[in-house]
Amino acid sequence: MKCLSPMEVPLKPGRSLMDWIRLTKSGKDLTGLKGRLIEVTEEELAKHNKTDDCWICIRGLVYNVTPYMEYHPGGEGELMKAAGADGTDLFDQVHRWVNYESMLKECLVGRMALKPIALPKESTSALSEEKKCLNGMLPESKIVGTSKSLAPSYDWFQTDCSVTVVVYTKQKGMNSEMVILDYEDSRLRGEIIIRDYSYLLNIELSNAVQEDIAVHVAEKVGKVEIVLKKIDNIPWKKLGQPLESHNSFIKRTDQGLYYRKCKLISKTDVTHDTKLFCLLLPQSTHFQVPVGQHVYLKQIVTGKEIVKPYTPVSCSLQTHFKEPSCHDGACLFLMIKIYPSGLFSSELDRLQIGDYIYVSNPEGSFQKSQVQTLEDLFLLAAGTGFTPMIKLLNYVLTNVNSLWTVKLMFFNKTEDDILWRDQLEQLILQDKRFEAQFILSEPSKEWNGKRGKISSSLLSEFFKRSKQDSKVLICICGSAPFTEQGERFLKDLGYCKEEIHSFTA
């Protein structure tokens, strides 16, 4: 989705992602160390802080990014912000979804030298405790950056034919969207989202279970039950063995992305260059993407892992329309523009029905609470920047009773580029609260609608509050320049920061 791309700069000819992949496969020494891996001290790292000699550390690994400078979509300036230093935090802020280990594999210099730290006795005993079999109530969560009193805990119990894992989140208002569950090869991975934090269960079960796993959420008390059906109806002596990061409660951004394999079951045309992909989630996966959040798709392209963000959509704009249920699992719909020269989207377009693609957990800062008491909702979109608006439209028109008006200003090049135009026009007739305005930058002579590009005058003319002091939210999504212009124009028109939400990642 175009709006989820970071700020890009024009690259020289021959400096595309495909060109970079060719260079990494050429056998050229990109580190300058002739294949050696070294241990890098902080002092040594700090020496390499120039554009023609730039080393960066990401999660303890040091890379010589000098040859990558001209290929970086964000430009040399962004890389130089972390030159000769640890760039992990900066990397996570801008695009932590990028598989840098694959992208910079041939640039690996070595590992950062570790400073020796003496572990106290209680730490070593805690490590020993972590390795014990999981049986009954477990040790308290490994907590990072929050109060121990807020950390979830869990227990488990069994009957003759089932095992139930109970998580006590200590949070009211929990719902099923906050629970992400995967079961594969005896491994049970459950992630529970609590505001900006993530609680993780990661267990290798002691016995096999069936794939149809049930998840029950008691919203008022914040209890989550995961019900596993035994394959062999025998008593379990223990739940299983802990795996990496099990029973941890940390910032969501520190948890890392998790992918599951999803099957492509349909692919239909939306416009001349945009398609609606329907992906089938594994039967043992419990996974819902909240309104306004996105996922990452991962593919192997010419031997490299490539990752791109996309916002799942509803399969229809009709608020009464019930999404088709798949006979053996849940579906995920993605509206994707196919770029002829695009490395990732072209590869997606070549997928056949029945092929698989990896899909990450959802991410994003948008919360439903931002629209619960709205009176006016204004949507500003360009091209496939319309995709985050689709679920949002369905949600507010169905669930927000305080709403007076919803206005969509939709920018495109030509009439043929307007996504779901028929459905939008039908929605205008069905719901008197909804208005849409189509604006074209390259219209045909027959076009009778608005022409041009985003401007302060166009925004002020269409985005008018239903009353002087109405509670309003304006959502923006498009290319980075479009989004930045929109934010600037809206602020000039008197809208405050809290009234504007930009869909970016």
Side-chain angles (χ1 to χ4, degrees):
M1 186 185 76
K2 191 66 177 176
C3 65
L4 293 174
S5 300
M7 173 63 79
E8 297 182 356
V9 299
L11 297 175
K12 298 177 183 178
R15 295 297 184 271
S16 68
L17 175 59
M18 197 66 201
D19 293 315
W20 172 250
I21 291 174
R22 290 193 191 101
L23 178 60
T24 62
K25 291 178 173 290
S26 67
K28 186 176 179 180
D29 179 16
L30 300 183
T31 65
L33 297 175
K34 297 180 179 179
R36 292 183 299 118
L37 292 178
I38 64 174
E39 194 172 59
V40 183
T41 63
E42 290 182 2
E43 294 75 19
E44 180 63 28
L45 176 64
K47 295 176 184 176
H48 304 271
N49 62 352
K50 303 176 183 65
T51 54
D52 59 351
D53 180 19
C54 182
W55 290 10
I56 292 176
C57 174
I58 304 177
R59 293 190 176 87
L61 296 176
V62 179
Y63 298 91
N64 181 357
V65 299
T66 312
Y68 183 59
M69 285 283 184
E70 293 186 341
Y71 297 84
H72 184 237
E76 292 183 1
E78 288 298 309
L79 289 176
M80 288 305 296
K81 289 178 182 179
D86 190 325
T88 305
D89 289 343
L90 180 63
F91 175 83
D92 285 346
Q93 289 171 20
V94 180
H95 40 35
R96 76 187 192 93
W97 46 270
V98 171
N99 189 333
Y100 65 92
E101 292 169 305
S102 175
M103 189 77 69
L104 299 176
K105 182 180 178 182
E106 302 304 323
C107 300
L108 180 64
V109 171
R111 288 187 175 275
M112 285 297 295
L114 298 176
K115 296 180 179 179
I117 300 175
L119 282 175
K121 289 183 179 178
E122 50 267 33
S123 296
T124 54
S125 63
L127 288 171
S128 175
E129 178 68 22
E130 182 63 23
K131 292 179 181 177
K132 290 182 179 179
C133 293
L134 309 182
N135 193 12
M137 183 68 79
L138 294 165
E140 290 184 345
S141 311
K142 289 171 280 186
I143 304 164
V144 178
T146 187
S147 168
K148 182 179 288 189
S149 63
L150 297 176
S153 60
Y154 79 98
D155 200 351
W156 70 281
F157 62 87
Q158 62 181 308
T159 65
D160 290 341
C161 57
S162 69
V163 170
T164 301
V165 181
V166 185
V167 180
Y168 304 94
T169 69
K170 306 176 185 177
Q171 301 291 324
K172 293 182 179 179
M174 289 292 298
N175 63 61
S176 58
E177 287 183 346
M178 301 175 183
V179 182
I180 305 166
L181 190 76
D182 292 275
Y183 172 69
E184 184 181 12
D185 298 331
S186 300
R187 176 185 177 182
L188 180 70
R189 186 187 190 277
E191 186 173 350
I192 298 175
I193 308 303
I194 302 173
R195 299 191 181 95
D196 295 330
Y197 287 82
S198 165
Y199 176 65
L200 183 67
L201 296 175
N202 198 12
I203 306 166
E204 184 176 349
L205 297 177
S206 61
N207 294 276
V209 298
Q210 297 178 29
E211 289 193 343
D212 54 333
I213 297 173
V215 175
H216 305 297
V217 179
E219 297 185 15
K220 293 183 179 180
V221 296
K223 183 174 72 171
V224 178
E225 291 186 349
I226 302 166
V227 183
L228 313 171
K229 296 179 182 178
K230 297 178 180 178
I231 289 181
D232 299 315
N233 294 337
I234 58 174
W236 288 21
K237 295 180 180 179
K238 57 182 182 292
L239 184 57
Q241 297 283 355
L243 299 173
E244 182 182 2
S245 301
H246 169 68
N247 206 29
S248 61
F249 187 45
I250 62 177
K251 283 274 191 179
R252 285 185 70 181
T253 51
D254 295 334
Q255 192 65 269
L257 292 173
Y258 179 81
Y259 292 86
R260 76 275 303 141
K261 211 163 56 166
C262 299
K263 182 192 290 186
L264 177 64
I265 60 172
S266 72
K267 185 168 56 172
T268 55
D269 291 336
V270 178
T271 67
H272 62 100
D273 61 2
T274 302
K275 297 185 178 182
L276 187 67
F277 290 72
C278 181
L279 304 178
L280 178 66
L281 295 170
Q283 187 179 356
S284 54
T285 292
H286 174 90
F287 176 93
Q288 297 175 29
V289 181
V291 170
Q293 297 199 12
H294 56 272
V295 297
Y296 297 101
L297 302 187
K298 181 173 70 174
Q299 290 193 105
I300 306 296
V301 182
T302 63
K304 296 284 184 179
E305 277 190 4
I306 309 293
V307 179
K308 289 286 183 182
Y310 294 96
T311 302
V313 301
S314 307
C315 64
S316 171
L317 271 177
Q318 305 308 308
T319 53
H320 64 274
F321 189 85
K322 186 177 180 181
E323 292 196 356
S325 58
C326 305
H327 68 281
D328 53 351
C331 293
L332 198 66
F333 294 91
L334 297 165
M335 193 177 288
I336 298 174
K337 183 174 181 177
I338 308 300
Y339 295 89
S341 59
L343 187 66
F344 195 86
S345 63
S346 295
E347 194 70 20
L348 278 180
D349 195 32
R350 282 192 284 270
L351 290 177
Q352 301 297 311
I353 303 303
D355 287 346
Y356 286 89
I357 188 166
Y358 288 92
V359 179
S360 80
N361 287 358
E363 288 204 341
S365 60
F366 188 85
Q367 301 292 329
K368 287 180 180 176
S369 57
Q370 293 174 250
V371 298
Q372 291 292 1
T373 58
L374 277 187
E375 292 169 297
D376 295 321
L377 175 63
F378 300 155
L379 306 175
L380 183 57
T384 49
F386 172 58
T387 55
M389 317 301 185
I390 295 175
K391 275 193 171 183
L392 181 56
L393 267 175
N394 277 337
Y395 177 77
V396 296
L397 292 176
T398 306
N399 297 285
V400 182
N401 296 324
S402 60
L403 206 60
W404 282 82
T405 61
V406 180
K407 294 186 177 184
L408 168 68
M409 182 174 277
F410 196 3
F411 289 83
N412 287 279
K413 285 186 177 181
T414 69
E415 284 186 74
D416 290 340
D417 295 321
I418 302 174
L419 302 172
W420 276 356
R421 180 181 177 182
D422 291 345
Q423 291 199 42
L424 286 168
E425 291 176 339
Q426 191 173 349
L427 190 58
I428 292 171
L429 298 174
Q430 288 177 349
D431 197 315
K432 63 182 181 181
R433 296 171 297 174
F434 180 64
E435 297 178 49
Q437 188 175 83
F438 306 120
I439 303 173
L440 304 182
S441 60
E442 300 176 11
S444 64
K445 293 180 180 179
E446 292 76 25
W447 176 251
N448 295 319
K450 294 281 184 179
R451 301 164 181 252
K453 296 185 178 181
I454 186 171
S455 67
S456 181
S457 59
L458 283 173
L459 294 178
S460 62
E461 181 185 331
F462 188 59
F463 288 160
K464 296 182 184 296
R465 297 176 188 258
S466 57
K467 56 184 180 181
Q468 188 174 0
D469 59 347
S470 67
K471 187 173 181 180
V472 65
L473 179 69
I474 307 175
C475 294
I476 311 175
C477 193
S479 66
F482 176 88
T483 300
E484 289 181 353
Q485 283 182 305
E487 290 175 347
R488 186 171 68 253
F489 291 145
L490 289 168
K491 288 172 183 175
D492 290 344
L493 290 171
Y495 293 99
C496 65
K497 183 179 178 182
E498 291 71 27
E499 292 174 326
I500 303 170
H501 180 91
S502 297
F503 290 104
T504 58

